[in-house]
Amino acid sequence: MHQPETQPRFSTWYPYRVYPYQRQSFTGDEPARVVIVGAGPIGMATALDLARFGVPSLIIESERQVSHGSRAICLTRRSMEILQMIGCHQPFMDKGLGWNLGRSFYRGKEVFQMQLPDSDENRFPPILNIQQQYIEQYLIEAIEANPLTRIQWGSSVTGIRQDQEVATLSIDTAEGDYDLAADWVIAADGGRSTIRKLMKLRMEGKAYSGNFVIADIQADIDLPTERRCYFDPEWNPGNNVLVHREPDGIWRLDFRLPDGETPEQALEKQVLTQRINSILQMIGQRVKWSLDWATVYSASTKTLPDFVHDRVLFVGDAAHLLPIFGVRGANTGFQDSNNLAWKLAAVIHGGSDKKLLYSYSSERVQAAREICDEGGKSTRFMTPPTAGYRRLRDAVLSLSLSQDFVKNLMHWRTSRPHTYANSSLNATDDGGEAFTAGPAIGEVAHSHRLADNDFLLDYLQGALTLLVFATEANGPVFEMQSSFPLRRIVVNRNGSPVPGADLVIRDRNDELSQAYGAEVGTVYLIRPDQHVCGRWKHVAAESLQAAINRAVCAEEF
Amino acid sequence: MSQLGLSQQDIESIYDALAEAIDEVGEKKEPLLLAKLVLLLANRLGDQRAVMEALAIAGKDL
Ligand SMILES: Cc1cc2nc3c(=O)[nH]c(=O)nc-3n(C[C@H](O)[C@H](O)[C@H](O)COP(=O)(O)OP(=O)(O)OC[C@H]3O[C@@H](n4cnc5c(N)ncnc54)[C@H](O)[C@@H]3O)c2cc1C
């Protein structure tokens, strides 16, 4: 019998709530029985993303409360754009702390500053700091408000089997266990995924040996919101310390352990206290503090080679384990969920071939592999795994005091939206070469400010979009058919209505046209996850129809 | 690797200077000194292939 913790977890600042266990079932009226295993950030984002395409789902979660500790604290702009798509970005903006500056210190000198690209074309800051407890809480609130999404707390998946017809989960609860039949199972059960283990799936990649401590303290520290990295501080020779600000007066301290020290030794109260005091002294902030949460972590760059296994679809940490350097865990997972949801909805509602799901796997596995590659580089710099890597890292640090050219070796790469340049969903006769500006095929549509508090991405929501730069309704765009909801957005100079357009965007000074390299007649085909899958200066009706069919793997195509 | 890029006299001065620099920093800091030197020279050279070739040659017959 599954007995999750029923006492609220300890925290100096976050009031944990214990949610009730209540058994839920399908009514039989659903278009499909979709079960999501795991109410972490990614499972919940997937549920909300499916709901915007009319697909209900049931989340099965083994715990009865949100994340233990703040864990993922940095959301990228892309994650915020995805949260906007699923309708819940506002509380994140109200609570979170935006920033764009990273600073590195070595021997008391600032050796590198990294300014993340920012401009007023964007609704969201490059990075927003917010604790995972809040991330999950806001997602839970959105789920509770949505009639298509539900969470069954305190229920642990212990078995899975599937055949042609159905996948069956064994679920253990405080009332005993039972079987639950599903048409689709989304495995969002985190880094230690039970489903991955039950299905005997192996991840490819590497686990790094260096351990580091993550400690959250509550303290009145007078520093701005930015990422600070201190290399080789006197109190922890050869290792580095990261300092991040979180909402509610919480500070994240992150440092590598001396080699050979065990996690138990590192978390021992006296040792930890002394080190936290050393860090505070190092940053010139000898203030009173109290410990909220501390844990020991290590870096991996691992991914499943395939995220789709018949009726079981893997997302988030269940699919890949990524290093926190470059804030990759949760941010990569949100992109998984956003890629998967519209595709699964299209297959469930009919009209799209199951092949569409394979594109989820190939696009996101490729993204995960790129991230493993990039994240591996950051990890080898931040926690050098061998004597050779340590020597080179030390050489770079030493040179950084006087030489600019090594600064690019300090690895400030952060999680970014991936470009599906060779996706099977992309148009085969894309006219991209003719463009000198605008998002290329596979890229996320570039954000563009239309007016105060009004951005292009606000309108690329919930449908396949044809963005057409036109003056009247005589182009091929207006003849297109699609099994998936299709939106025609017309951009013109005076904003005058165009019959057949779902929306007209007024581009008074041609700024949007210029940013998108467009002339009259230019068309962008944009997927429901805002990735461009074709663009043409001028396009024939047959080409455009073929591209639409291809983008959604239309069945008759 | 291709022909010498330095005169006999120049390479001899570098030979001596390098030996003396190694002695001066001592055994413990020698690897760091050499690693820094390689990165600096590689950047000056601006030729990834040449550096990789040199690295392969340096690793031979140790
Ligand atoms: C200690 C720690 C520190 C971290 N620090 C950072 C950081 O600083 N920055 C960063 O970007 N990322 C960090 N991460 C990673 C980040 O938290 C994850 O990438 C993110 O939470 C992934 O979300 P997810 O929804 O895929 O998985 P999770 O958040 O792990 O959610 C999985 C959910 O599934 C549930 N579950 C598991 N097994 C079962 C089962 N058998 N049946 C039912 N439910 C089940 C779990 O209870 C959990 O709620 C950290 C992770 C850990 C563990």
Side-chain angles (χ1 to χ4, degrees):
Chain A
M1 224 133 53
H2 179 58
Q3 301 285 6
E5 182 59 62
T6 54
Q7 290 307 306
R9 308 185 200 276
F10 169 81
S11 173
T12 59
W13 62 276
Y14 186 78
Y16 279 97
R17 190 177 143 198
V18 178
Y19 295 91
Y21 158 75
Q22 198 186 3
R23 175 129 166 219
Q24 321 250 0
S25 51
F26 290 108
T27 61
D29 292 334
E30 299 85 4
R33 295 162 298 178
V34 178
V35 175
I36 297 172
V37 183
I42 310 311
M44 290 194 280
T46 310
L48 290 165
D49 216 328
L50 284 168
R52 70 186 179 123
F53 300 105
V55 174
S57 61
L58 170 59
I59 303 180
I60 302 290
E61 166 57 48
S62 65
E63 297 296 317
R64 290 179 52 193
Q65 41 193 325
V66 299
S67 171
H68 184 197
S70 66
R71 293 170 64 188
I73 53 162
C74 300
L75 294 183
T76 58
R77 172 179 292 146
R78 186 62 196 149
S79 293
M80 290 307 300
E81 289 166 354
I82 291 168
L83 290 168
Q84 181 190 19
M85 284 188 237
I86 62 176
C88 55
H89 63 287
Q90 199 52 52
F92 291 81
M93 289 301 284
D94 295 342
K95 175 58 82 177
L97 303 168
W99 59 273
N100 63 4
L101 185 64
R103 306 171 70 181
S104 293
F105 300 88
Y106 177 58
R107 297 204 182 155
K109 233 181 105 173
E110 183 164 348
V111 290
F112 186 51
Q113 264 206 14
M114 188 216 38
Q115 193 98 35
L116 292 163
D118 199 3
S119 79
D120 50 12
E121 300 297 350
N122 291 289
R123 178 179 282 290
F124 302 109
I127 311 265
L128 189 83
N129 281 8
I130 186 164
Q131 295 94 332
Q132 192 162 328
Q133 290 100 327
Y134 283 129
I135 297 177
E136 295 185 12
Q137 178 189 322
Y138 299 152
L139 288 165
I140 291 167
E141 285 164 6
I143 280 174
E144 286 177 339
N146 192 316
L148 297 183
T149 50
R150 296 173 291 167
I151 303 175
Q152 178 174 319
W153 298 99
S155 306
S156 176
V157 170
T158 55
I160 184 166
R161 56 182 194 275
Q162 60 172 330
D163 57 32
Q164 300 268 301
E165 311 283 293
V166 70
T168 309
L169 294 167
S170 312
I171 297 180
D172 194 12
T173 72
E175 289 173 351
D177 44 16
Y178 68 97
D179 280 358
L180 179 66
D183 298 303
W184 298 100
V185 173
I186 294 169
D189 52 347
R192 298 207 178 98
S193 174
T194 309
I195 298 187
R196 197 176 65 221
K197 282 179 202 143
L198 288 169
M199 292 176 63
K200 299 195 168 56
L201 301 176
R202 288 188 54 115
M203 297 179 124
E204 60 178 41
K206 211 168 138 66
Y208 287 88
S209 60
N211 280 329
F212 37 100
V213 170
I214 293 173
D216 273 7
I217 61 170
Q218 190 159 27
D220 201 2
I221 290 174
D222 181 27
L223 289 175
T225 310
E226 56 192 19
R227 179 190 193 251
R228 289 175 162 245
C229 180
Y230 298 83
F231 287 104
D232 195 28
E234 264 162 46
W235 70 273
N236 192 8
N239 295 320
N240 46 280
V241 180
L242 294 171
V243 178
H244 265 297
R245 184 172 165 203
E246 302 172 30
D248 297 356
I250 307 299
W251 292 79
R252 161 75 61 89
L253 310 174
D254 180 324
F255 54 91
R256 165 134 182 199
L257 302 187
D259 284 332
E261 192 172 300
T262 65
E264 293 71 34
Q265 288 167 330
L267 292 177
E268 213 251 302
K269 193 167 171 223
Q270 234 185 327
V271 175
L272 192 58
T273 302
Q274 200 199 342
R275 285 179 177 158
I276 290 173
N277 283 331
S278 303
I279 293 174
L280 292 175
Q281 184 173 352
M282 177 187 75
I283 63 173
Q285 303 277 334
R286 295 171 81 164
V287 294
K288 271 212 168 89
W289 56 273
S290 55
L291 183 69
D292 174 65
W293 167 75
T295 188
V296 173
Y297 202 61
S298 66
S300 298
T301 50
K302 290 184 168 189
T303 179
L304 285 175
D306 201 339
F307 295 173
V308 174
H309 294 265
D310 299 318
R311 303 184 164 275
V312 184
L313 316 166
F314 286 82
V315 290
D317 279 11
H320 42 64
L321 287 171
L322 305 171
I324 65 171
F325 307 114
V327 298
R328 298 173 189 278
N331 292 307
T332 302
F334 283 123
Q335 293 180 45
D336 294 340
S337 64
N338 192 232
N339 187 304
L340 175 62
W342 68 272
K343 295 176 179 176
L344 183 56
V347 170
I348 287 174
H349 287 313
S352 286
D353 190 276
K354 219 187 132 189
K355 279 198 309 240
L356 190 53
L357 294 176
Y358 302 142
S359 79
Y360 161 66
S361 187
S362 58
E363 289 173 1
R364 294 309 300 165
V365 168
Q366 192 179 333
R369 285 182 176 145
E370 281 172 33
I371 295 163
C372 286
D373 193 42
E374 283 179 15
K377 288 180 189 164
S378 313
T379 304
R380 292 193 290 275
F381 191 79
M382 299 301 282
T383 75
T386 63
Y389 279 108
R390 189 173 278 269
R391 183 83 67 232
L392 265 296
R393 201 275 309 262
D394 291 347
V396 165
L397 285 177
S398 177
L399 286 170
S400 73
L401 292 168
S402 63
Q403 305 295 315
D404 272 353
F405 79 93
V406 294
K407 302 201 164 159
N408 289 336
L409 291 168
M410 300 183 87
H411 292 292
W412 279 91
R413 293 187 179 88
T414 38
S415 167
R416 58 184 168 83
H418 279 265
T419 298
Y420 308 132
N422 49 17
S423 168
S424 61
L425 308 187
N426 289 346
T428 47
D429 65 344
D430 169 59
E433 319 83 63
F435 287 76
T436 52
I441 198 157
E443 248 186 273
V444 173
H446 298 166
S447 182
H448 184 87
R449 186 177 161 280
L450 302 168
D452 274 351
N453 198 22
D454 193 22
F455 296 85
L456 177 63
L457 293 185
D458 299 349
Y459 301 102
L460 305 181
Q461 303 280 342
L464 196 61
T465 301
L466 285 166
L467 186 68
V468 49
F469 297 79
T471 45
E472 50 196 26
N474 60 0
V477 166
F478 301 93
E479 304 159 20
M480 293 300 111
Q481 307 286 320
S482 168
S483 56
F484 198 85
L486 182 68
R487 258 189 123 200
R488 296 164 182 85
I489 300 182
V490 170
V491 181
N492 65 28
R493 214 175 228 198
N494 48 18
S496 56
V498 173
D502 298 292
L503 177 79
V504 176
I505 288 176
R506 181 173 187 185
D507 189 24
R508 195 172 317 172
N509 303 317
D510 278 345
E511 285 171 5
L512 179 56
S513 302
Q514 276 165 25
Y516 272 62
E519 2 181 298
V520 170
T522 291
V523 177
Y524 277 77
L525 176 60
I526 304 173
R527 310 182 343 178
D529 55 13
Q530 299 178 340
H531 285 258
V532 172
C533 57
R535 59 172 177 165
W536 303 263
K537 284 269 160 115
H538 298 280
V539 64
E542 314 80 72
S543 287
L544 193 55
Q545 187 64 60
I548 289 170
N549 294 346
R550 193 176 176 86
V552 299
C553 289
E555 249 166 0
E556 64 272 26
F557 189 59
Chain B
M1 271 231 296
S2 49
Q3 66 280 35
L4 263 189
L6 290 167
S7 71
Q8 182 69 16
Q9 203 185 353
D10 287 351
I11 190 85
E12 280 173 5
S13 324
I14 292 168
Y15 185 96
D16 290 344
L18 193 53
E20 281 157 30
I22 286 172
D23 288 337
E24 197 175 320
V25 300
E27 219 170 301
K28 225 180 110 213
K29 293 194 174 156
E30 175 188 337
L32 183 61
L33 172 78
L34 294 178
K36 287 177 67 177
L37 185 65
V38 171
L39 288 175
L40 280 166
L41 292 178
N43 187 56
R44 286 273 172 97
L45 194 59
D47 180 346
Q48 191 217 6
R49 243 195 42 208
V51 177
M52 294 304 200
E53 272 172 29
L55 181 60
I57 296 169
K60 272 201 248 174
D61 306 323
L62 290 176

